[in-house]
Amino acid sequence: MQDILNFIEGRHEPAASGEWLDDVDPATAETYARVASSDAADVDRAVAAAVRAFPAWSTTPAADRSRLLRRLARLIERDLEALARAESIDSGKPIAAARATDIPRAVQNFDFFADAVTQFSSEAHPTDEVALNYTLRQPLGAVACISPWNLPLYLLSWKIAPALAAGNCVVAKPSEVTPMTAHLLGGLCKEAGFPPGVLNILQGLGPRAGGPLCAHRDVRAISFTGSTRVGGEIARESAASFKKLSLEMGGKNPTLIFADADLGEAVPQAVRAAFSNTGQICLCGSRILIEKSVYDRVRDEIVERARALRVGDPLDPATEQGALVSRQHFEKVMGCLSLAREEGARVLCGGERAKVSGRCARGFFVQPTLLEGLGPACRTNQEEIFGPVATLLPFGSAEEAVQLANSTRYGLAASLWTRDLSRAHRVSAQLQSGIVWVNCWMFRDLRTPFGGVKESGVGREGGMDALRFFSEPKNVCVKL
């Protein structure tokens, strides 16, 4: 059985307490590794290492930091197959998705910020020919990067890369449910030549390790992706020390399909948006809103495609739907399906545990599920399920579609399908979402700001917004 360790000051090591957690393969329900169970003592050591490393790292030329980030990207690229397999086993996601998306995106994140930091500019203002005001963007110090279980290396690298590029030293906390690729990243970071203490990785539970990390007085900023509930706890925990916060949290995202849309494109993309990564992406379109005049046709085509999705062993390259990430999450999703039935939902397809033969017979699999007949105010249409479950709702006008789309406490993402250019711009502006895709879904440009509104988040990640978050502006006024 493999040990998944902390990475502190350039060394892999167990938790100070000597305690361990089980790491379970969700496709088989069997424990296959043990995870260091860190606590406040480990947090103190990791933060102290980051603080010690900060003076030298923050004054390292941007070009040199860029070269190290790019070297790390090449090592991830070299080990793509091993990392993809580790991600698939740890999270239950299809290995085809890990190969094609998760690990390549981690490579892109490090490459992108290796470039971006060399282009990071500031402002200068001549003031009435008597002074020159200019802005310095300086790194903060020790920062915390807390990532979720659904896209483990993808989202961890999305945070670590800009933090390191900007000259900060990082204490990263991956999810205890999917810790393997973070553990492997520590070894690659050392191989790439990062100085000890620049990147530290803490394994363990949120309350036991994440809580002390967020409360630590020497942590200057926290970048978090995860649930709205945990985001609220982090905001409260960090308030006393006035840390900078970026919180990317839950979503109940709408997919709006108008009658004039290219349905040959809209229907398969709506299915993709609903069921990618077994519905375990914060950007998944879990509420599919369809104009009444084409509702029956679109509904039937979506159901047909959902039924055809192949649920199976995540290590089979042909699998399209893998396992849910844990027993706890599986039970939550099944509970949500029971609630939907109590609320009067009509189950169009799925709705049950999926049966997978062979080694995966005891795994945490759920059939791709589509529901209809529920009003917008019911819990099934208001609360994030985060599984392979989507609801269908009809609308009669653009105004009603916007009203339905905006009717939840979330506002992370939305996708809109129409050939009417004027409507596309008008409705996009009215949707209460941090990102709106028109005639596409999950089409990302890493230069653009990313984040939610309402209870989906505070702050923005991506592009120069990420570098700005991980730095502090200082105005210098020089009298001429």
Side-chain angles (χ1 to χ4, degrees):
M1 184 176 294
Q2 184 171 353
D3 288 348
I4 297 175
L5 303 171
N6 291 332
F7 183 72
I8 300 175
E9 209 156 19
R11 296 184 300 274
H12 277 117
E13 56 189 50
S17 67
E19 296 181 23
W20 300 91
L21 305 168
D22 289 340
D23 191 11
V24 175
D25 178 348
T28 65
E30 295 176 356
T31 299
Y32 81 102
R34 62 178 189 167
V35 186
S37 182
S38 303
D39 59 19
D42 302 287
V43 170
D44 287 343
R45 293 190 60 250
V47 174
V51 170
R52 284 193 296 271
F54 177 69
W57 180 248
S58 62
T59 56
T60 298
D64 292 344
R65 297 198 300 268
S66 173
R67 277 193 288 273
L68 283 171
L69 289 170
R70 205 176 298 286
R71 192 176 301 161
L72 181 55
R74 300 287 75 75
L75 293 175
I76 296 171
E77 207 168 43
R78 180 198 70 189
D79 291 353
L80 186 147
E81 183 60 29
L83 289 165
R85 183 178 177 83
E87 202 80 293
S88 178
I89 294 171
D90 216 22
S91 69
K93 70 172 68 243
I95 193 168
R99 283 174 179 150
T101 302
D102 290 59
I103 309 307
R105 174 60 186 271
V107 173
Q108 292 168 19
N109 288 338
F110 284 111
D111 274 336
F112 176 86
F113 286 106
D115 288 335
V117 72
T118 66
Q119 310 300 318
F120 197 30
S121 61
S122 60
E123 297 175 334
H125 304 281
T127 308
D128 299 328
E129 299 182 353
V130 297
L132 177 67
N133 280 273
Y134 63 90
T135 303
L136 298 176
R137 303 288 320 191
Q138 297 181 313
L140 303 170
V143 301
C145 296
I146 303 174
S147 58
W149 48 255
N150 60 325
L151 303 169
L153 189 61
Y154 180 141
L155 289 180
L156 186 65
S157 61
W158 176 237
K159 297 176 181 300
I160 288 173
L164 295 179
N168 301 282
C169 293
V170 171
V171 180
K173 165 65 177 72
S175 169
E176 69 277 8
V177 180
T178 54
M180 181 60 82
T181 48
H183 169 73
L184 297 174
L185 181 67
L188 295 180
C189 179
K190 184 173 183 177
E191 184 179 350
F194 281 85
V198 168
L199 174 62
N200 307 276
I201 300 171
L202 284 174
Q203 308 287 358
L205 298 169
R208 185 176 162 99
L213 178 60
C214 293
H216 202 290
R217 288 278 174 178
D218 290 334
V219 170
R220 297 288 309 281
I222 302 169
S223 176
F224 165 79
T225 297
S227 72
T228 297
R229 178 187 61 80
V230 175
E233 292 174 1
I234 288 173
R236 288 187 291 273
E237 191 70 52
S238 62
S241 48
F242 303 101
K243 304 183 195 304
K244 292 183 75 174
L245 288 182
S246 175
L247 305 175
E248 194 263 286
M249 302 185 292
K252 192 70 175 173
N253 309 305
T255 298
L256 288 70
I257 302 177
F258 286 89
D260 71 333
D262 178 353
L263 298 181
E265 181 71 10
V267 168
Q269 289 301 312
V271 173
R272 174 174 168 256
F275 297 113
S276 286
N277 202 43
T278 323
Q280 299 172 120
I281 302 177
C282 56
L283 301 167
C284 277
S286 58
R287 293 182 298 141
I288 305 173
L289 314 181
I290 306 165
E291 192 164 4
K292 288 179 180 177
S293 62
V294 293
Y295 180 84
D296 289 349
R297 172 189 169 189
V298 170
R299 176 198 60 199
D300 293 347
E301 292 182 9
I302 288 176
V303 169
E304 183 181 358
R305 286 181 174 272
R307 283 177 174 155
L309 291 171
R310 179 171 176 178
V311 181
D313 186 337
L315 294 179
D316 182 344
T319 292
E320 297 171 298
Q321 296 279 286
L324 295 186
V325 74
S326 68
R327 182 184 302 278
Q328 180 183 17
H329 191 57
F330 168 81
E331 291 173 352
K332 178 213 167 183
V333 171
M334 295 304 292
C336 290
L337 292 174
S338 294
L339 173 64
R341 290 187 175 93
E342 291 173 12
E343 291 183 315
R346 290 188 295 275
V347 180
L348 300 173
C349 65
E352 304 291 343
R353 183 172 195 157
K355 296 180 180 179
V356 179
S357 60
R359 76 180 193 99
C360 298
R362 297 173 56 242
F364 310 132
F365 296 86
V366 174
Q367 297 170 343
T369 301
L370 291 167
L371 309 170
E372 73 171 356
L374 295 174
C378 70
R379 287 176 59 187
T380 301
N381 275 320
Q382 290 291 317
E383 299 175 2
E384 187 176 40
I385 298 174
F386 218 65
V389 182
T391 58
L392 279 65
L393 297 92
F395 66 84
S397 65
E399 291 74 22
E400 184 183 4
V402 170
Q403 184 180 20
L404 288 170
N406 292 341
S407 65
T408 75
R409 61 193 175 104
Y410 297 108
L412 184 56
S415 60
L416 164 64
W417 295 86
T418 180
R419 286 189 175 100
D420 185 326
L421 182 60
S422 175
R423 176 194 285 149
H425 287 294
R426 184 176 66 254
V427 171
S428 294
Q430 294 170 344
L431 291 172
Q432 295 169 354
S433 297
I435 183 168
V436 178
W437 285 289
V438 178
N439 296 331
C440 60
W441 177 75
M442 195 64 95
F443 194 88
R444 290 286 293 125
D445 186 320
L446 300 189
R447 295 171 295 182
T448 60
F450 177 85
V453 300
K454 301 193 286 188
E455 293 189 28
S456 284
V458 174
R460 291 294 181 269
E461 298 183 332
M464 296 304 173
D465 287 85
L467 293 177
R468 282 189 283 268
F469 172 75
F470 284 115
S471 61
E472 200 81 76
K474 176 188 288 185
N475 182 70
V476 178
C477 178
V478 180
K479 185 177 179 182
L480 301 177

